[in-house]
Amino acid sequence: MDNYKHRPFWWDEAGLEARELAEGAADLPDKADILVVGAGYTGLSAALTLARGGREVVVVDADMPGYGCSGRNGGLIGPSFHKLGLSGLTAAYGSERANAILRESMDSLDFLKNLIKTEGIDCGLKADGRFRGAVRPRAYDTLLREAESLHKSVGLRFEPVPKSEQHRQIGSDYYHGGIVLPDDGHLQPAALVIGLCERARQSGARVFAPARVTGLQRESHGFSVQISDRLIHADQVLIATNGYTGAELSYFHKRVIPIRSAIIATEELDPQIITELSPKGLGYGDSDRLVIYYRPSPDGKRMIFGGRVFDRADRPDKYSTDLKRLMTRIFPQLSGVGITHAWSGTVAYTFDHAPHLGEHDGIHYAMGYCGSGVGRANYFGHKIALKLLGSRDGKTALDGLDFKTHPLYTGSTWFMPAILRWHAIADRMGL
Ligand SMILES: Cc1cc2nc3c(=O)[nH]c(=O)nc-3n(C[C@H](O)[C@H](O)[C@H](O)COP(=O)(O)OP(=O)(O)OC[C@H]3O[C@@H](n4cnc5c(N)ncnc54)[C@H](O)[C@@H]3O)c2cc1C
């Protein structure tokens, strides 16, 4: 039985909670030009752009900056292509828009790398690629076909890796070959939160936490917002709460589906073991429907291994065991290794598998990254800020998509365990 801490490894490594990243709610001002709700990548990236655009920006988070997905994720970065793929997108939106949406996915990755570089954020960025393994022989052909089609349509770079050459990318015999996406990579998620928050504050944004928005009232000019025991006025409001959107923001609550994803971190290992498992320090994923993702820690001493979990509740007793079993199926070399951290968070899915940004009833929003948001949340946070600033550069390929809900969906995800179990069965049957 592992004696793990039930908290993100990243928080300990980056000292997230010890940083003074926010002011207390008692110091909230009476008014702001723009109130940003949520201090994850979306909210902080938007705040940086808005503050540099000359606006008085107040960011509030119900817990602390990076408390949500942004301080908990696997840190894997890539273009995060729309789940429908080229053919599904073309069927839904026509070829021109489909291509624009896919191209913008590539732009979001470039944007993130550039943001980290120009802002000088020290977040362990390693952009040497990601290996996607084929769990079955047939999946190898599918991976190649999909990558080839993305190469033709939007110039995605990829390298086929036949099984005979797999050991150069991964110290495992689990896969039947795969592809390397050389522009992908990984980073330290909490360190990125810290860097963004510091840059946003240095640019003039004020960040407050813990400070939960519990009510939002439209007025003749702007909004009156209830935050903790304070009522403040904001000319404009940006909702950046993603998978942590509560019923107090009911329009958005009914449009994002929070799905739990969990991660374990191994104890420190001999760096030689990590080099054997991950010779080039890549990020990893595979062809199964039930998502898994893994990568070495930035110091190259641990394996960080994550995936979707069946329970709606946060059950580390269950997912630590399940993830460890999956990890040792891929890397038998890790059986017997201890787990030091186990944690989870809720990613935000949407009914059309696309992120959404725009304006509803005068309230701006950006959310719904469907589990792949490190690049996209930073990018769309910037874009929604440009829209708030009235800049034409805020235009995106996703503009105007209907932010759908379902008449029977109230924000409760009672149906998710059944869907995820079906994905697991489909994976086992090779469907
Ligand atoms: C376990 C896990 C692994 C993941 N792995 C990856 C990965 O490897 N690669 C990848 O690209 N993506 C990954 N993701 C997804 C990615 O982390 C998210 O898409 C991204 O961080 C979303 O950022 P955000 O700022 O929109 O939302 P969040 O970071 O979730 O921020 C939302 C914030 O809103 C605050 N909030 C909510 N309600 C209120 C309120 N009423 N008042 C004030 N504040 C409020 C919350 O406290 C929270 O801090 C993962 C997510 C999880 C959970």
Side-chain angles (χ1 to χ4, degrees):
M1 181 73 183
D2 288 302
N3 186 18
Y4 53 79
K5 292 188 199 175
H6 180 205
R7 53 191 270 109
F9 163 69
W10 311 123
W11 296 7
D12 285 349
E13 196 190 43
L16 181 67
E17 289 146 304
R19 302 288 181 125
E20 288 189 5
L21 294 175
E23 303 173 59
D27 294 326
L28 272 163
D30 293 331
K31 56 187 179 61
D33 289 346
I34 301 176
L35 175 78
V36 179
V37 187
Y41 301 142
T42 305
L44 294 171
S45 168
L48 179 62
T49 303
L50 290 166
R52 296 224 173 121
R55 297 296 191 275
E56 264 180 28
V57 189
V58 165
V59 185
V60 292
D61 198 284
D63 198 290
M64 66 170 178
Y67 175 80
C69 288
S70 300
R72 295 168 183 270
N73 63 74
L76 290 143
I77 61 164
S80 308
F81 288 115
H82 194 292
K83 307 280 177 222
L84 292 181
L86 181 59
S87 53
L89 280 172
T90 305
Y93 308 114
S95 145
E96 198 179 320
R97 192 159 197 195
N99 275 296
I101 291 174
L102 294 173
R103 238 188 331 267
E104 196 165 38
S105 299
M106 311 257 291
D107 294 345
S108 70
L109 178 60
D110 292 341
F111 172 85
L112 175 67
K113 288 180 183 171
N114 194 45
L115 175 76
I116 291 169
K117 191 170 163 207
T118 53
E119 298 300 330
I121 297 176
D122 181 10
C123 60
L125 173 65
K126 193 167 183 312
D128 294 339
R130 177 182 341 207
F131 173 79
R132 241 186 117 200
V135 179
R136 275 165 206 82
R138 213 167 24 150
Y140 180 63
D141 297 330
T142 311
L143 282 176
L144 249 51
R145 219 175 27 247
E146 284 170 0
E148 188 60 48
S149 136
L150 286 165
H151 173 69
K152 281 197 188 124
S153 55
V154 290
L156 175 79
R157 298 198 310 140
F158 74 100
E159 294 154 19
V161 181
K163 184 159 174 100
S164 57
E165 291 172 23
Q166 186 167 295
H167 276 211
R168 285 197 216 151
Q169 315 296 340
I170 183 168
S172 168
D173 292 317
Y174 182 69
Y175 296 116
H176 297 268
I179 55 172
V180 165
L181 300 163
D183 297 314
D184 287 16
H186 49 78
L187 49 73
Q188 214 289 18
L192 178 57
V193 168
I194 292 169
L196 275 175
C197 197
E198 285 175 350
R199 296 301 174 276
R201 294 180 79 192
Q202 285 156 6
S203 306
R206 293 185 70 187
V207 182
F208 296 87
R212 173 179 287 278
V213 167
T214 51
L216 196 57
Q217 199 79 44
R218 201 162 176 173
E219 293 180 328
S220 53
H221 172 70
F223 298 86
S224 138
V225 189
Q226 184 77 46
I227 306 172
S228 305
D229 58 353
R230 298 284 306 280
L231 202 58
I232 82 161
H233 176 87
D235 292 346
Q236 290 179 298
V237 173
L238 167 62
I239 306 296
T241 49
N242 206 48
Y244 289 77
T245 308
E248 67 276 6
L249 300 166
S250 68
Y251 174 84
F252 303 102
H253 186 58
K254 287 186 190 139
R255 281 164 177 77
V256 289
I257 307 161
I259 299 182
R260 194 162 292 284
S261 197
I263 304 186
I264 52 174
T266 65
E267 62 188 333
E268 283 195 5
L269 304 166
D270 182 338
Q272 254 189 309
I273 296 178
I274 297 290
T275 308
E276 183 198 324
L277 306 181
S278 175
K280 297 177 182 166
L282 303 186
Y284 298 93
D286 70 27
S287 60
D288 267 351
R289 290 162 182 245
L290 214 56
V291 175
I292 59 166
Y293 44 90
Y294 49 102
R295 38 87 46 105
S297 58
D299 63 6
K301 293 183 180 167
R302 299 166 190 257
M303 188 54 74
I304 311 289
F305 192 97
R308 297 278 181 278
V309 289
F310 296 114
D311 287 293
R312 287 196 291 149
D314 184 17
R315 294 282 311 272
D317 54 324
K318 281 187 145 184
Y319 57 71
S320 64
T321 315
D322 290 348
L323 290 174
K324 196 170 173 183
R325 194 171 45 241
L326 273 172
M327 182 176 75
T328 49
R329 200 184 291 164
I330 296 167
F331 295 126
Q333 304 93 317
L334 293 181
S335 46
V337 156
I339 300 303
T340 59
H341 295 72
W343 70 97
S344 76
T346 48
V347 303
Y349 265 70
T350 58
F351 284 94
D352 61 358
H353 314 281
H356 284 266
L357 75 166
E359 190 182 337
H360 170 75
D361 253 356
I363 300 173
H364 286 76
Y365 60 90
M367 60 182 68
Y369 308 110
C370 301
S372 297
V374 177
R376 297 200 285 192
N378 280 287
Y379 174 79
F380 287 118
H382 172 65
K383 285 288 185 181
I384 193 69
L386 290 174
K387 285 180 192 294
L388 276 153
L389 291 171
S391 163
R392 279 188 181 182
D393 295 338
K395 205 166 171 304
T396 85
L398 299 177
D399 286 349
L401 288 191
D402 185 14
F403 199 175
K404 292 191 182 101
T405 182
H406 186 282
L408 297 179
Y409 181 59
T410 57
S412 161
T413 55
W414 55 269
F415 50 87
M416 271 326 292
I419 292 178
L420 291 169
R421 284 196 191 282
W422 158 244
H423 283 314
I425 292 167
D427 283 340
R428 244 178 277 139
M429 292 170 69
L431 298 176

